[in-house]
Amino acid sequence: MSFTSAAFILFAVLTLLIYYTVPKRGQWIVLLISSFLFYLSAGGWYLPFILVTILSTWLCALGIRRRDRLDEDYLAAHKADMTKEERKAFKNNAKKKKRPYLVGGLVFNFAILGVLKYTGFVLSGVNDLLAIFGSKGVTVPSLILPLGISYYIFRSTAYLIDVYWGKTEAEGNIAKYALFISFFPAVLQGPISRHKDLAPQFFTPHNAEWSNLSEGGLRVLWGFFKKVVIADTAMIAVKAIVASPDTMTGMYVLLLIILYSAVIYGDFTGGIDVTIGLARMMGLRLAENFDHPFASRSTQEYWNRWHITMGSYFTDYVFNPLSISAPMKKLSKWSKDKLGRGVGMRLPVYLATLITWFLTGLWHGASWNFIVWGLLNGAVILISRELSPLYAKFHKKFPSLKDRAAYGGFCAVRTFFLMGTIRILDCYRDVPVTFMAFGSVFYDFASWGDLAGGKLLQSLGLELWQCIAIALGTLVVFLVSHRSKTRPVLTEISERPWLFACSCAVLILVILIFGCYGIGFDAGDFIYQTQF
Amino acid sequence: MKRTYIIRAWALSVALLLTVAILICATLILQPKYVSASPEGSLTEEYYASVKETNHDVLFIGDCEVYESFVPAILWQEYGISSYVRGGAQQLVWHSYYMLEDALRYETPKTVVFNVLALKYGEPQKEAYNRLALDGMAWSKTKLDAIHASKTDEESLASYIWPLLRYHSRWKELTSEDFRYAFADKPTVSHSGYLMQTDIVPYEYQEGQKPRPLADYTLPQTAMDYLDRMRSLCEEKGIELILIKAPTDSIFYHWYDEWDEQITAYAEKHRLSYYNFIPLADEIGIDMTTDTYDAGVHLNVYGAEKMTRYFGKILTENHSAPDRRGDTALAAVWDARLAAYEAEKTAAAHP
């Protein structure tokens, strides 16, 4: 059930109506039933997988809670009899006792993700290797990939780790926990909300408040606008360029960088707007996933503003624990002794950064292009860090430059193109083809002639009105985004009834008439909903 | 507080009304009108006006071969038979079944004549033909069933319920006709379902041209199942079902002997009359140098009139189709239709 389908809209409206009709203590049950119906609509075979994840992480978290309580009770009873050292030793011992629940839950669930998502990729790689030695290779099985598995595994493992760290309470009611994992607006593409932030909201009563319904509803429409008017229209041109990597080179690759940025922004932020908006209509506030990413002046800043919940997952649960892990500390000590202080300081950080970005790439998809994409992002961040003394010198020499809007704009454009260039790995899905295509920007100048010859639209498969729709749509999104830096424009609009009503009317008309959907268009599902 | 509620309610109501009004207008304007371009799309819809005026004793059902081969006005003029053609462009057998079911909601003809060429298709072919056949059908359970049976994977029921979802991008190809007929009645394009073609484009045989051999000549089971359903429906309502194959037989729309044998066997098994007019073309008097408008694929008005006269005789002599010319009220309706038919034919001959 795609977010943009009539079936989903009907489903969401019915859920909302029932949600606000039933007694408030039953609201979460309505959401739970809706979530499972939504998940079932994707295919009955997916259901056992999400149920296994729910059950296993719930049981492991309960195991941790039971151990915690036993240890707390013991400590409370014997606190007076124990020395400080004994208490410390006891706590360390207690941590060790509950660790099997954490490790077991993590290993089991990441194994499910690994087997289902990466078996084909690994075996294909093995076969490629065997082929070099003339061996026949093994059969690559075709495994099903449950919808949203990357997201719900992350959500559930984050919960388990948080319970282990004592950051959130283990949920005793499996049905309530199941809702946290399977909440239908967020199950396919996030945001990856944390249990302590989201779960309590499900179980507090919610009235049908104007502010929630208006702002949420407007945000849903805004999401649809970004998806069907901008992303899906621009996707036509992206597909045309990607389909002919041999002929559509040079200028077309530059266009691809820009257009695919519009596609991924419209598609992903549009999908998240629908998710957050729908949740808001239910009185729930989900974590924001984007914060004006294309205004970022550096790669580091970009990744703090783009797919925020994924970034914080990798930071909190991969990078930080890895950086302070015992092997890293040993490596740091060894490298400081053997290779000098400079290398010794950098090596663990570099290694943790690259491992984190390797895993980020792998999480995005089981193919080399995603791995290279991840590693390139990591490399760019590390190079930027290495160059920071140079930047500092430069800014010391030109102190006034940093605060100038033009310089800020230059940095934002530079970051946009840098990120956009790395992102086209996602378009071609083939590492050598991507590098060759990008290389053509620097030698194929003949393609620029298509700009003047009027061949451009034909080559891109777009009509003039579609180009205008993309350009105007992007401009509107840019203006709204720029204006929202101080206070969200959608909030302001929803507070003024007439403006709100007119905005809704205009958005509905624009989406329905100028949207890229239905027969004749090749509008896809949300990229992040189908890829993960 | 109360004032805020009132303002919100007003704002929402006005915006809602305005949005709905604009969307209704947009839908009416953007829907294809099927008048100058693709007039076949009007055929389904035009039936309802005709059946309001008079019932029909003979109902022709099928694809383009029926609406280009049988002229109800001539059947009336020559034999006093009240008939209607419920045919459509590439009207597949399930379209035809539901056209019949739909017609039976309004009347019960004595005879249903079904052209068998469409039996070669076992699956939906093209969305455009579904729209031509179904856009104009009146809403009923029959239409819902017809949509479910016909729609291709890319189609949705929602786009039939609300055509804006299908035609939203037509704004760039709108013509004056779209605005003219958005809020006003459209002119009738057919004569009781017959779509007049007056051009003459002769069939030219080219040496060595042969129909493409097929890997399997078995008519698809889905198609035969719908034929069976059509037969059962007719039996249930006491209607005689006649199977026919129009006399045209081009290279691209060839009627294979193997198919003919299957239909002959089916007709014999169920005691149905089956007339294959291809071998009778000479006897009918069809001359493919003058009686076709598209090089032998379909008959033009001159060929259709010959075919109609020939078949009218069969209907009268073999199937007891009643002569209703004595019914003055009915005659008045049909005389008007005949006059309109003659007027268009004359206008086309002397433009």
Side-chain angles (χ1 to χ4, degrees):
Chain A
M1 210 190 303
S2 165
F3 271 15
T4 48
S5 67
F8 179 78
I9 294 166
L10 190 68
F11 175 79
V13 170
L14 279 176
T15 302
L16 268 172
L17 283 176
I18 300 169
Y19 180 76
Y20 282 121
T21 310
V22 298
K24 291 194 174 54
R25 64 177 184 281
Q27 284 179 324
W28 72 272
I29 297 169
V30 173
L31 293 186
L32 180 68
I33 294 168
S34 304
S35 297
F36 275 88
L37 286 176
F38 176 78
Y39 206 76
L40 260 176
S41 73
W45 283 108
Y46 296 157
L47 198 61
F49 292 95
I50 195 170
L51 286 176
V52 162
T53 294
I54 289 168
L55 186 65
S56 61
T57 46
W58 178 73
L59 285 173
C60 288
L62 282 190
I64 292 170
R65 186 177 76 171
R66 195 178 64 88
R67 280 261 34 115
D68 276 345
R69 284 187 181 169
L70 284 173
D71 294 335
E72 279 164 17
D73 290 349
Y74 182 87
L75 209 57
H78 300 86
K79 202 174 176 181
D81 312 331
M82 295 167 91
T83 63
K84 200 178 172 185
E85 284 72 29
E86 280 173 333
R87 281 204 298 272
K88 200 176 170 187
F90 178 82
K91 279 181 184 171
N92 281 337
N93 196 33
K95 214 171 183 182
K96 274 183 194 166
K97 282 181 192 164
K98 66 180 181 178
R99 194 170 291 156
Y101 294 105
L102 172 74
V103 175
L106 294 183
V107 168
F108 179 68
N109 281 286
F110 282 120
I112 294 175
L113 180 65
V115 169
L116 295 179
K117 193 166 176 177
Y118 302 105
T119 300
F121 173 61
V122 172
L123 289 181
S124 300
V126 169
N127 283 349
D128 289 345
L129 268 179
L130 289 174
I132 297 171
F133 302 104
S135 186
K136 204 177 154 193
V138 291
T139 311
V140 180
S142 173
L143 300 172
I144 66 163
L145 192 61
L147 272 186
I149 186 169
S150 303
Y151 282 100
Y152 72 67
I153 294 263
F154 265 33
R155 202 174 294 124
S156 54
T157 51
Y159 160 77
L160 194 55
I161 298 170
D162 281 350
V163 170
Y164 177 79
W165 283 344
K167 285 187 175 177
T168 193
E169 272 291 305
E171 175 59 64
N173 184 332
I174 190 167
K176 288 184 173 179
Y177 176 63
L179 172 59
F180 167 67
I181 299 299
S182 65
F183 180 50
F184 77 90
V187 73
L188 300 186
Q189 62 171 13
I192 307 166
S193 300
R194 302 294 169 91
H195 182 261
K196 70 177 168 48
D197 300 326
L198 179 59
Q201 295 183 55
F202 287 130
F203 314 113
T204 46
H206 296 285
N207 290 315
E209 285 175 18
W210 166 265
S211 59
N212 287 336
L213 290 170
S214 60
E215 197 174 336
L218 193 60
R219 189 145 180 194
V220 169
L221 287 175
W222 184 239
F224 283 146
F225 168 74
K226 286 199 266 186
K227 164 70 177 161
V228 298
V229 178
I230 302 174
D232 286 348
T233 314
M235 193 63 172
I236 297 169
V238 166
K239 282 186 175 174
I241 297 172
V242 172
S244 310
D246 298 328
T247 52
M248 298 185 81
T249 48
M251 176 272 297
Y252 287 106
V253 180
L254 272 182
L255 258 181
L256 176 67
I257 291 169
I258 297 166
L259 285 169
Y260 191 62
S261 298
V263 167
I264 201 80
Y265 181 83
D267 188 283
F268 195 14
T269 66
I272 290 292
D273 282 335
V274 175
T275 298
I276 293 179
L278 190 53
R280 182 71 195 276
M281 290 178 89
M282 296 164 181
L284 308 166
R285 285 177 187 262
L286 300 187
E288 287 294 340
N289 225 12
F290 299 94
D291 177 19
H292 314 97
F294 290 157
S296 308
R297 293 181 173 205
S298 68
T299 313
Q300 185 70 55
E301 188 187 348
Y302 171 84
W303 278 111
N304 289 334
R305 290 163 171 261
W306 177 274
H307 208 167
I308 297 167
T309 57
M310 179 210 67
S312 66
Y313 180 97
F314 277 104
T315 305
D316 293 349
Y317 304 114
V318 180
F319 181 80
N320 289 345
L322 194 63
S323 302
I324 56 166
S325 64
M328 277 299 179
K329 281 179 182 166
K330 273 185 191 168
L331 178 70
S332 177
K333 192 173 178 304
W334 177 85
S335 53
K336 269 182 200 167
D337 293 345
K338 304 284 179 190
L339 306 167
R341 188 175 162 76
V343 177
M345 292 281 281
R346 286 178 173 85
L347 193 59
V349 179
Y350 278 34
L351 196 60
T353 303
L354 289 175
I355 289 173
T356 304
W357 278 103
F358 168 80
L359 292 174
T360 307
L362 201 61
W363 179 78
H364 274 79
S367 61
W368 283 108
N369 62 290
F370 287 114
I371 294 171
V372 173
W373 170 87
L375 290 173
L376 277 176
N377 271 293
V380 169
I381 289 169
L382 292 177
I383 290 167
S384 301
R385 188 178 296 182
E386 280 304 306
L387 292 176
S388 56
L390 273 180
Y391 292 142
K393 267 188 194 172
F394 176 77
H395 288 301
K396 206 174 175 185
K397 208 170 180 182
F398 305 101
S400 61
L401 199 60
K402 211 172 184 178
D403 300 324
R404 286 198 183 157
Y407 180 73
F410 162 77
C411 291
V413 170
R414 180 197 60 189
T415 308
F416 172 85
F417 274 100
L418 189 58
M419 291 292 93
T421 303
I422 298 174
R423 202 181 290 121
I424 59 170
L425 277 157
D426 187 20
C427 298
Y428 290 107
R429 307 243 160 160
D430 184 303
V431 179
V433 170
T434 308
F435 280 100
M436 278 193 283
F438 182 64
S440 72
V441 171
F442 302 101
Y443 65 79
D444 178 15
F445 301 111
S447 56
W448 288 89
D450 290 356
L451 277 179
K455 198 185 154 195
L456 186 67
L457 289 182
Q458 195 189 352
S459 308
L460 296 177
L462 289 176
E463 293 177 44
L464 184 62
W465 73 268
Q466 289 173 316
C467 293
I468 295 169
I470 297 169
L472 278 180
T474 309
L475 182 68
V476 171
V477 169
F478 173 78
L479 291 175
V480 168
S481 173
H482 187 70
R483 182 81 206 280
S484 297
K485 276 181 179 171
T486 44
R487 188 159 186 251
V489 169
L490 300 187
T491 310
E492 281 183 27
I493 292 175
S494 62
E495 285 168 354
R496 298 175 191 172
W498 284 103
L499 187 60
F500 166 74
C502 293
S503 304
C504 285
V506 169
L507 277 173
I508 289 171
L509 290 173
V510 170
I511 291 164
L512 282 173
I513 295 176
F514 299 104
C516 182
Y517 65 89
I519 290 170
F521 293 112
D522 187 16
D525 283 339
F526 286 89
I527 294 171
Y528 270 74
Q529 287 183 2
T530 48
Q531 190 171 302
F532 297 84
Chain B
M1 195 67 173
K2 198 179 169 190
R3 194 170 168 270
T4 315
Y5 281 125
I6 292 170
I7 292 173
R8 282 174 187 168
W10 263 108
L12 273 183
S13 309
V14 171
L16 192 71
L17 281 175
L18 209 65
T19 310
V20 170
I22 294 173
L23 288 176
I24 290 172
C25 291
T27 307
L28 291 173
I29 292 168
L30 291 168
Q31 277 188 111
K33 306 301 175 292
Y34 300 126
V35 177
S36 299
S38 307
E40 299 87 349
S42 287
L43 296 178
T44 305
E45 185 184 350
E46 288 184 359
Y47 168 74
Y48 303 107
S50 174
V51 79
K52 251 186 201 172
E53 280 188 329
T54 172
N55 283 355
H56 311 101
D57 290 319
V58 177
L59 203 60
F60 291 90
I61 304 259
D63 54 13
C64 50
E65 289 194 338
V66 288
Y67 73 70
E68 295 298 18
S69 300
F70 299 98
V71 190
I74 297 295
L75 270 185
W76 173 262
Q77 187 184 38
E78 303 274 329
Y79 302 99
I81 298 171
S82 174
S83 66
Y84 198 91
V85 180
R86 287 214 88 178
Q90 208 188 68
Q91 185 170 297
L92 303 178
V93 63
W94 40 92
H95 292 145
S96 289
Y97 170 78
Y98 289 108
M99 286 292 174
L100 174 62
E101 198 179 276
D102 184 49
L104 296 185
R105 293 168 56 227
Y106 300 91
E107 60 178 340
T108 308
K110 294 195 175 347
T111 308
V112 165
V113 181
F114 174 65
N115 186 60
V116 293
L117 180 65
L119 286 168
K120 67 179 179 174
Y121 296 112
E123 282 173 5
Q125 298 293 301
K126 212 172 172 186
E127 183 258 350
Y129 292 113
N130 284 339
R131 303 301 313 205
L132 290 178
L134 302 175
D135 271 355
M137 192 182 271
W139 278 103
S140 64
K141 186 183 171 296
T142 301
K143 179 162 180 169
L144 279 176
D145 291 342
I147 293 167
H148 280 303
S150 313
K151 70 184 174 73
T152 54
D153 291 342
E154 58 188 347
E155 290 177 79
S156 67
L157 174 66
S159 72
Y160 282 94
I161 294 170
W162 189 13
L164 184 76
L165 298 177
R166 169 64 185 87
Y167 299 116
H168 65 96
S169 58
R170 262 199 85 237
W171 53 266
K172 52 188 187 286
E173 55 199 54
L174 291 177
T175 65
S176 59
E177 234 172 42
D178 288 297
F179 294 95
R180 202 181 316 144
Y181 302 130
F183 308 100
D185 287 343
K186 296 187 292 179
T188 310
V189 300
S190 79
H191 297 277
S192 301
Y194 170 70
L195 201 60
M196 188 184 292
Q197 300 288 350
T198 52
D199 290 347
I200 298 173
V201 178
Y203 169 68
E204 286 172 16
Y205 175 74
Q206 287 174 354
E207 197 61 42
Q209 227 180 14
K210 273 186 187 168
R212 188 170 52 92
L214 304 181
D216 183 7
Y217 290 91
T218 313
L219 290 167
Q221 192 54 48
T222 324
M224 293 306 286
D225 287 347
Y226 271 100
L227 176 62
D228 240 14
R229 288 178 70 178
M230 211 183 292
R231 182 183 56 76
S232 303
L233 191 59
C234 287
E235 263 176 25
E236 192 185 300
K237 298 279 181 181
I239 300 166
E240 183 187 18
L241 176 65
I242 300 174
L243 305 180
I244 59 146
K245 169 63 192 82
T248 41
D249 188 29
S250 68
I251 293 292
F252 301 111
Y253 300 96
H254 183 63
W255 182 247
Y256 293 92
D257 291 342
E258 290 83 350
W259 291 348
D260 197 59
E261 284 161 15
Q262 289 169 64
I263 298 300
T264 306
Y266 182 88
E268 275 172 14
K269 184 181 170 190
H270 297 287
R271 296 182 182 171
L272 302 176
S273 300
Y274 170 49
Y275 300 97
N276 178 358
F277 293 114
I278 298 168
L280 302 172
D282 288 341
E283 191 181 315
I284 297 166
I286 288 169
D287 176 356
M288 279 301 180
T289 61
T290 57
D291 293 341
T292 167
Y293 71 90
D294 53 4
V297 180
H298 302 99
L299 298 179
N300 59 18
V301 68
Y302 313 109
E305 284 191 358
K306 290 175 189 171
M307 179 66 239
T308 306
R309 287 193 180 96
Y310 188 87
F311 190 54
K313 196 163 176 251
I314 294 174
L315 282 173
T316 305
E317 291 176 359
N318 300 352
H319 301 281
S320 317
D323 183 345
R324 304 257 188 213
R325 280 173 290 194
D327 181 337
T328 37
L330 190 64
V333 172
W334 273 104
D335 287 347
R337 290 179 185 178
L338 184 61
Y341 170 78
E342 292 295 352
E344 190 184 332
K345 193 178 158 194
T346 312
H350 308 286

